[in-house]
Structures are given as C-alpha cells and as structure tokens.
Amino acid sequence: MSMPCFAMDSDTSVVLLGLVAAHLAIDFVFQTDEDVRSKRQFRTWAFAKHGLLHAAAAYCLSGLWPLWQIPAVVLLVHPLVDLAKEAGTRWLAQRRPDGGLPVRWKLGALLADQALHLGVLFALVAILDGGGQISGPIFWTAVFGPLWVKMLVLASGFILSVYAGGVVIGILVEPLVKELRSSGDESALSPRRRGFEKGGRYIGQLERTLILLFVLVNQPTGVGFLVAAKSVFRFGDLKEHEDRMEAEYIIIGTMLSFAWGLVAAWLTQYVLQNI
C-alpha cells in the first residue's frame, strides 16, 4: 500500500481539514462548562452527547455521505479518548496540597488529549484514502469550489486563536489566580473589583479576534494600536487599586493572550498562503 497523498488540493486533504475543523468546533466552541464538569464526574450521558456531536459534525463537514465509517469511528473513539484523559488526570496525576492539579499536568493532559484526537482523525483519513474510499466529488467543494478549503482554514484558525487560546491561557494563569486569592486581600477578586464574571474571557476573545483580523489583512500595526489602547484602559484601573499582584496578573494574562493570538494568526496566514 502506498502512502496517501496529502497535497492541499487533494480530496484527501479537504476531508482531513473538514474533520479537523469539526473537531475544533465541538471541543472548543460548542462544549459547555457544564459538559466539562459532567465528564469529570464520569457521567455517561456527557461522554455520549459529546461523542454524538463530534460524529455528526465530522460527517457533515467531511462532505462524503457514503462514508459511514467516519462518524462511526469518531462516535466510538472520541469518548474513549476523553474517558482515558479524565481517568488519567483523576487517578494518575500528582496533586497539589490543596487537591488541585498542577499546571504541567493540566496542560499536558490537554495537549495529549488533542494529539490523540487529531492522530485518530489523521489515521482514519489515511486508511480510507489507502483503501481508495475517498473518491468522487466532495459535496462542499462542489458547492463552494476552492473557497471551501479557505473557509475551513479560516474557521480552524479562528477557533484555535480565540477559543482554544482561552483554554490554554486559563490553565497557565490559574496559579496566579490562586495566589491572588491566598494573598489575604479578599477584595482583589471580588465581583465589584474584578468587573463582570466573564469579562476577562470576553475581552481576551475580542483581542485575539482583532489580532487575527489585523494579521490576515496585512495590517500588523493594528496590533500595536490594540496593545496601546488596552494599556491606556488598564492603567487607570491599576492606578486606582494600587495592587502590584493584580497588576502583574493582568499584564501576564495580557501578554500570554497577545502571544497566542499572534502565533495562531501567523500560522493561519501561512496555511492560507500555501494552499
């Protein structure tokens, strides 16, 4: 059996891009906080619901309706990988004195989980392609033509930058939040002082969206303007509170958000320019 060709203009690559976009959308956009908590509690319905959504999205975005193997494999394997992740983090991971997971374990579990999911999708497409089953017109390319591939790349880049970035940054700054809470200043993270409950999340998503937009339209100076604008708004807030720990927490979170946004934007731009 010869190795499958994954040239960007091949049907195989279009199917693979569709499966990756479907995976990112369900894992990072449509999976709720309640879904995540339920999986950590090993509730069967949560794994089943998540697997069904992944299978439906994979089947839809693949654009090859006769290939029932795609949703079948995703429906079977995705919940098993998630179950292995939750079991590993509960019974194998080292715990902090307060019972929480260290950052390295949380981040490592996330990266391993995503690598396994994407590896399964890659292997599935390779096997189907090697068996000559990926053939004939793909529904979405027949409708949108070459634009479909760009749409998949843009959607994947947007989710990677805005939503996946939020998950990774949340893990990285969690120790800072815990240190703030244990600093003795209970007002540091109070609703009145911290603003809206999810305000920081929405601000981060908006700034990474703007970074992606500025990079894709070849206006990198807009990123500098965004940094300056956010610094001006944050300066008044920090000056009023005179809290060095909170100031450093905000600066670190902001720098992580901008760094992730830029890397994801440049990666998206690179792929778009080379398809």
Side-chain angles (χ1 to χ4, degrees):
M1 181 185 300
S2 61
M3 291 298 291
C5 174
F6 289 99
M8 279 296 182
D9 59 348
S10 69
D11 288 342
T12 304
S13 295
V14 176
V15 172
L16 181 61
L17 284 173
L19 296 184
V20 170
H23 167 78
L24 292 175
I26 300 302
D27 249 19
F28 294 105
V29 181
F30 295 104
Q31 182 172 213
T32 66
D33 293 339
E34 179 60 29
D35 292 334
V36 174
R37 285 191 293 269
S38 297
K39 287 197 298 181
R40 287 175 182 168
Q41 295 167 359
F42 294 94
R43 295 181 178 174
T44 304
W45 67 264
F47 290 100
K49 171 190 172 184
H50 194 57
L52 283 169
L53 288 175
H54 269 282
Y59 183 61
C60 179
L61 292 188
S62 70
L64 287 174
W65 315 136
L67 285 183
W68 57 268
Q69 296 94 329
I70 289 176
V73 170
V74 173
L75 178 61
L76 176 65
V77 176
H78 194 100
L80 291 177
V81 173
D82 282 356
L83 181 62
K85 173 196 172 186
E86 299 302 334
T89 53
R90 171 171 289 194
W91 290 300
L92 298 179
Q94 298 176 353
R95 298 278 175 173
R96 298 191 305 261
D98 62 1
L101 282 173
V103 169
R104 67 180 184 276
W105 277 97
K106 279 193 172 184
L107 189 59
L110 174 66
L111 294 177
D113 176 69
Q114 293 303 311
L116 281 172
H117 286 312
L118 295 176
V120 167
L121 296 179
F122 189 94
L124 173 61
V125 172
I127 292 171
L128 292 173
D129 182 65
Q133 294 174 277
I134 299 181
S135 60
I138 297 173
F139 176 80
W140 299 114
T141 54
V143 174
F144 296 105
L147 180 63
W148 176 242
V149 175
K150 295 184 182 294
M151 291 167 62
L152 290 174
V153 174
L154 282 171
S156 299
F158 175 77
I159 297 170
L160 181 66
S161 174
V162 177
Y163 290 95
V167 174
V168 172
I169 293 164
I171 292 174
L172 293 176
V173 301
E174 183 181 329
L176 304 181
V177 176
K178 291 184 179 297
E179 191 171 349
L180 265 175
R181 286 175 174 160
S182 63
S183 64
D185 183 4
E186 293 296 331
S187 66
L189 292 171
S190 67
R192 180 178 178 86
R193 183 153 172 185
R194 294 295 300 149
F196 293 111
E197 180 182 356
K198 297 182 179 179
R201 177 188 297 185
Y202 296 146
I203 290 171
Q205 290 177 349
L206 286 171
E207 69 191 16
R208 290 190 296 276
T209 299
L210 289 173
I211 289 171
L212 180 64
L213 178 62
F214 286 138
V215 170
L216 293 182
V217 298
N218 292 317
Q219 293 295 329
T221 53
V223 178
F225 172 79
L226 188 61
V227 173
K230 186 170 183 180
S231 300
V232 169
F233 284 117
R234 283 300 193 182
F235 176 76
D237 182 55
L238 298 177
K239 183 179 180 181
E240 179 183 351
H241 297 321
E242 298 179 350
D243 190 325
R244 178 171 178 177
M245 289 183 68
E246 188 175 3
E248 291 177 350
Y249 161 72
I250 291 172
I251 291 170
I252 292 171
T254 298
M255 292 299 101
L256 285 172
S257 181
F258 274 89
W260 181 279
L262 282 170
V263 171
W266 286 330
L267 178 61
T268 304
Q269 184 186 52
Y270 174 81
V271 175
L272 283 172
Q273 291 174 347
N274 289 273
I275 59 176

